[in-house]
Amino acid sequence: MIKIKRIGIVLLIMGICIFVSCSHMHNLNKNASSESDTKKQENNISSSSSMPYGPYLAGRTAHIRKDFNSAADYYIKALKNDPDNQKLIGQLYLLLVSQNRVDEAATYAKQHLNKVNKDNFAHTVIAVWQMHHNMFEESIKTISKYDNPAYKSFIAPLLKAWNYVGLNQQQNALNSLESLKKENGLKGIYYFHAGMINDYFDDHEQAKKHYETLITEETSELSLRSLQIISNFYMRHNQKEKAISLVSKINNDKLINDILGKYSQQAQLPAPQKLISTPQKGSAEALFSIAATFRYDSIIDVAHMFTSLAIYQNPDYDLAKMLLADILEDREIFDAANNVYQSIPQNSPMYYTAQIKYTKNLIKQNDYDTAELVLKSLALDFNNPQLYIDLGDVLRLKSAHPEAIKYYQKALSLTPQNNSSWVIYYALGIAYEQNGDWKKAEASFLKAKELSNNHYLVLNYLGYTWLSQKQNITDAFMMIAQAYKQSPNDVNITDSLGWALYKLGYYGMATKYLEEAAEDAPENPIIRNHLGDVYWHTNRQNEARFQWQQALDLKDKNDEINRKLIEDKIKNGISQTPKVEFDQKIVSETISSLSKYK
């Protein structure tokens, strides 16, 4: 696939919308007399499995919860009660495609077209199903029914071309692609697919010509898939140096090493096999080209559907699986994304990346134990600094700080000390600080500050900690203020600034920033506690106690709240005002410089 610029085609693809509530659908029972009837059925869903509404309502619930497989199963049952419900049929075939149940989807797409006649994506599903079953002439006829400009000018040429490949008609396949060459944004896709088609027919010179034109004209736009396909071509034709040079353009050192390692092994073995060895695999590339185009244009529903079709045509298409999992992550359907990542085999160049992304999802789901196991398993095979950083992060989240420190140190030992290594020092500093070793933590933060050229995350953490310890008060305040100037919309930094102003006795200004932080993050107990403190010192005692109680009631994700102290404040208030020594002139000048931010 060629990663292209935004194409000059008006995107008129309609009707592909599977991720929304089904509330816009017609009622399953067309004779339902009123909204109250519908509510009564919903209230009785648990006991209505034999009634017409039972499967539909169960499907609707699963749909809203993004359990699309179960939703499709329930809708299939619902259609037995109302086989002519066109809205439900239209929604069902889309759900089935999204779950890679394309054989079933084609059946319902045909039923859908019997009623509506015009649905370009339904025609696409049927055409892909026909290609899958070697019905190439029928597929071409189906594609010819498109009436939408985007389908006719972009999708039809690609799918028809690979159908002609299936019919062993090389020239017709190439002719089908010609219209793509006329669109500047689609030239890369033209050269890529023309090269693959010529390569499929063993027309090596023409394949080489198209591939090298692509390399020349699209150097900065070459995608990972095009690099894989073309480097595979070079390897098969004893041009290993060209293959290695091309792979080196990949912006992922780990992936480069994996691919180059395979090429080194292949030097002692027969040449690798063609990646595109069947018309179906070629059509998968076409579908993936379409999916990726719309993915970059943020038309995510369309990208999801075409990616599923690509995987249907080539079940071993790991890069398409990575795109599908990425889309599922965007939808926060993490279990489904994890299943996709886990389906990528260990011998795939995508395996390591898939496992890393899998662990990141586990972390989002607070499954730190499984994430730790996966990362430690990877560490047995890969000596990668990023892997050790990720392990340190997981262990720190588990409060296993000594072990986290060990892995951060290991990552540092494998990383050249340069501007980019500040992140490791920053994470190491947090681990030291949470492990109670402030001296080492402070040294790590200062190193991160130096290497990062005063990154706001480092400034905020170090400044806040110094302030908490009543150390270097003036410098601490200036660092927090500088962090705020760099990132005035970061709620944690806004809180730090408000709390710092409170500590220095500027209660009025502190209130402004802490109220802003509380409004942006109402679920944050730390901010609520800080706001309560400043309210107390501005004679708003009732509001202070309310904020402190909120701090106790809200979930303390990082176990930072001192509950006994807050309970005492609710009961007795704050008896003393904070007293710290600082340079009044420098602080006043710094406060004045904040006025233009926000």
Side-chain angles (χ1 to χ4, degrees):
M1 200 288 300
I2 303 305
K3 180 182 173 185
I4 63 172
K5 300 173 183 175
R6 290 179 63 90
I7 59 176
I9 295 176
V10 178
L11 301 175
L12 299 176
I13 298 180
M14 306 297 290
I16 302 179
C17 186
I18 65 169
F19 297 101
V20 295
S21 163
C22 311
S23 58
H24 65 281
M25 291 187 185
H26 291 171
N27 288 334
L28 183 62
N29 184 346
K30 296 176 183 176
N31 296 320
S33 59
S34 68
E35 183 178 346
S36 62
D37 292 334
T38 302
K39 287 182 178 178
K40 186 184 294 183
Q41 294 286 359
E42 289 177 346
N43 291 335
N44 294 327
I45 185 171
S46 62
S47 59
S48 65
S49 59
S50 62
M51 300 175 65
Y53 272 92
Y56 169 67
L57 292 176
R60 178 175 176 176
T61 300
H63 197 157
I64 293 169
R65 291 176 178 172
K66 303 179 185 178
D67 182 0
F68 300 130
N69 251 327
S70 295
D73 289 337
Y74 282 120
Y75 289 160
I76 289 171
K77 291 178 182 178
L79 280 172
K80 292 178 181 178
N81 297 316
D82 188 8
D84 295 323
N85 190 314
Q86 196 55 44
K87 290 285 186 180
L88 194 54
I89 293 171
Q91 196 76 1
L92 174 57
Y93 94 85
L94 293 172
L95 280 171
L96 289 167
V97 172
S98 78
Q99 300 305 293
N100 203 26
R101 296 164 63 175
V102 181
D103 289 321
E104 295 171 85
T107 298
Y108 291 101
K110 290 173 186 176
Q111 292 182 26
H112 180 60
L113 287 170
N114 286 338
K115 296 290 184 179
V116 302
N117 194 31
K118 291 184 179 180
D119 183 327
N120 291 281
F121 188 69
H123 286 308
T124 301
V125 173
I126 294 166
V128 170
W129 175 82
Q130 289 166 330
M131 293 177 73
H132 190 82
H133 295 282
N134 297 320
M135 301 161 62
F136 302 114
E137 290 183 353
E138 293 88 339
S139 182
I140 291 171
K141 290 177 183 177
T142 301
I143 293 165
S144 297
K145 296 177 182 179
Y146 289 160
D147 64 355
N148 174 290
Y151 278 91
K152 292 171 73 173
S153 61
F154 177 37
I155 296 170
L158 287 167
L159 295 183
K160 280 187 176 181
W162 287 102
N163 271 309
Y164 283 123
V165 170
L167 294 169
N168 207 33
Q169 297 176 16
Q170 179 181 0
Q171 195 54 52
N172 282 341
L174 294 169
N175 290 343
S176 179
L177 295 174
E178 279 294 318
S179 61
L180 299 179
K181 199 159 78 168
K182 298 174 185 177
E183 290 280 348
N184 286 334
L186 299 178
K187 282 184 179 179
I189 287 180
Y190 164 78
Y191 289 123
F192 184 48
H193 284 269
M196 286 189 290
I197 288 170
N198 283 313
D199 191 6
Y200 176 88
F201 285 106
D202 294 322
D203 191 344
H204 303 147
E205 287 303 314
Q206 285 300 310
K208 180 180 177 183
K209 175 183 173 184
H210 283 103
Y211 285 150
E212 293 189 346
T213 301
L214 175 63
I215 293 168
T216 301
E217 296 193 3
E218 302 282 337
T219 302
S220 63
E221 297 288 339
L222 284 176
S223 72
L224 174 58
R225 188 56 174 172
S226 61
L227 292 170
Q228 286 180 315
I229 295 284
I230 300 172
S231 62
N232 170 269
F233 173 82
Y234 284 138
M235 286 296 293
R236 286 186 283 111
H237 293 88
N238 299 314
Q239 293 181 289
K240 182 179 175 182
E241 294 305 316
K242 280 191 173 183
I244 291 173
S245 175
L246 201 59
V247 168
S248 298
K249 296 179 183 292
I250 297 171
N251 187 26
N252 183 321
D253 291 341
K254 179 70 182 61
L255 190 57
I256 290 173
N257 291 335
D258 286 350
I259 295 175
L260 292 182
K262 289 182 182 296
Y263 286 169
S264 296
Q265 296 169 14
Q266 287 165 352
Q268 312 300 323
L269 300 171
Q273 299 297 307
K274 287 181 183 178
L275 293 178
I276 309 304
S277 55
T278 67
Q280 286 78 12
K281 288 183 178 180
S283 70
E285 299 298 328
L287 293 161
F288 185 66
S289 292
I290 296 162
T293 298
F294 294 129
R295 175 63 169 148
Y296 295 129
D297 279 356
S298 299
I299 308 175
I300 196 167
D301 290 350
V302 180
H304 184 132
M305 305 301 266
F306 279 96
T307 304
S308 293
L309 291 174
I311 296 169
Y312 170 69
Q313 291 294 68
N314 181 3
D316 297 324
Y317 198 163
D318 293 339
L319 193 58
K321 291 179 182 178
M322 294 292 289
L323 177 59
L324 176 60
D326 186 58
I327 291 169
L328 291 168
E329 282 186 48
D330 276 3
R331 298 292 184 183
E332 297 185 352
I333 312 175
F334 297 117
D335 286 337
N338 289 345
N339 289 338
V340 176
Y341 287 134
Q342 289 295 80
S343 73
I344 294 175
Q346 196 164 359
N347 63 354
S348 168
M350 298 290 107
Y351 175 76
Y352 177 85
T353 302
Q355 290 295 298
I356 292 296
K357 291 177 78 67
Y358 169 49
T359 60
K360 292 187 184 301
N361 281 347
L362 291 170
I363 292 168
K364 291 175 186 175
Q365 296 172 289
N366 298 321
D367 188 354
Y368 304 136
D369 289 340
T370 306
E372 179 188 353
L373 288 173
V374 174
L375 289 168
K376 285 185 174 178
S377 176
L378 286 175
L380 296 175
D381 298 317
F382 303 101
N383 193 34
N384 187 297
Q386 185 58 52
L387 178 59
Y388 298 129
I389 294 170
D390 292 342
L391 251 174
D393 290 344
V394 170
L395 290 161
R396 184 161 51 82
L397 289 168
K398 291 182 63 176
S399 297
H401 304 303
E403 197 175 0
I405 290 167
K406 179 182 74 174
Y407 282 107
Y408 287 138
Q409 290 174 332
K410 195 164 187 177
L412 275 176
S413 71
L414 296 172
T415 306
Q417 191 166 111
N418 52 37
N419 291 346
S420 64
S421 61
W422 74 267
V423 176
I424 310 176
Y425 281 103
Y426 173 63
L428 181 60
I430 295 173
Y432 276 133
E433 189 263 337
Q434 292 177 346
N435 197 45
D437 192 340
W438 174 243
K439 186 175 182 180
K440 288 183 178 178
E442 185 177 42
S444 294
F445 285 133
L446 289 171
K447 189 66 177 179
K449 179 177 179 292
E450 174 193 340
L451 292 172
S452 70
N453 193 25
N454 294 317
H455 192 281
Y456 64 88
L457 289 175
V458 184
L459 293 174
N460 182 61
Y461 202 109
L462 181 56
Y464 185 92
T465 309
W466 270 347
L467 206 59
S468 300
Q469 298 177 351
K470 298 183 180 180
Q471 295 181 18
N472 308 319
I473 301 300
T474 303
D475 287 341
F477 180 77
M478 290 176 65
M479 287 165 60
I480 292 171
Q482 188 178 349
Y484 179 80
K485 291 175 184 179
Q486 290 182 38
S487 187
N489 295 314
D490 187 314
V491 68
N492 293 313
I493 294 175
T494 303
D495 169 61
S496 293
L497 180 59
W499 189 71
L501 287 164
Y502 161 75
K503 284 290 189 180
L504 271 60
Y506 294 89
Y507 302 138
M509 280 181 280
T511 302
K512 167 192 169 185
Y513 290 106
L514 288 171
E515 286 182 336
E516 180 185 311
E519 183 178 345
D520 290 342
E523 75 294 340
N524 189 314
I526 300 294
I527 296 173
R528 296 286 193 147
N529 183 37
H530 290 164
L531 183 57
D533 288 357
V534 76
Y535 277 167
W536 183 267
H537 286 288
T538 52
N539 297 315
R540 297 165 68 176
Q541 282 83 3
N542 290 336
E543 291 171 273
R545 286 191 168 94
F546 175 80
Q547 293 298 330
W548 290 329
Q549 187 60 55
Q550 287 291 299
L552 290 177
D553 293 342
L554 291 167
K555 185 175 181 181
D556 182 14
K557 297 178 182 178
N558 299 316
D559 198 27
E560 294 180 68
I561 289 291
N562 186 330
R563 299 187 66 85
K564 283 189 175 182
L565 180 59
I566 295 176
E567 288 168 356
D568 182 70
K569 288 192 292 187
I570 292 173
K571 183 179 180 180
N572 301 312
I574 301 175
S575 59
Q576 294 182 338
T577 59
K579 291 182 180 179
V580 292
E581 294 184 4
F582 58 92
D583 189 311
Q584 183 77 45
K585 181 179 178 183
I586 293 175
V587 168
S588 296
E589 289 174 353
T590 303
I591 290 173
S592 297
S593 71
L594 294 172
S595 60
K596 65 179 179 180
Y597 293 91
K598 280 197 174 182

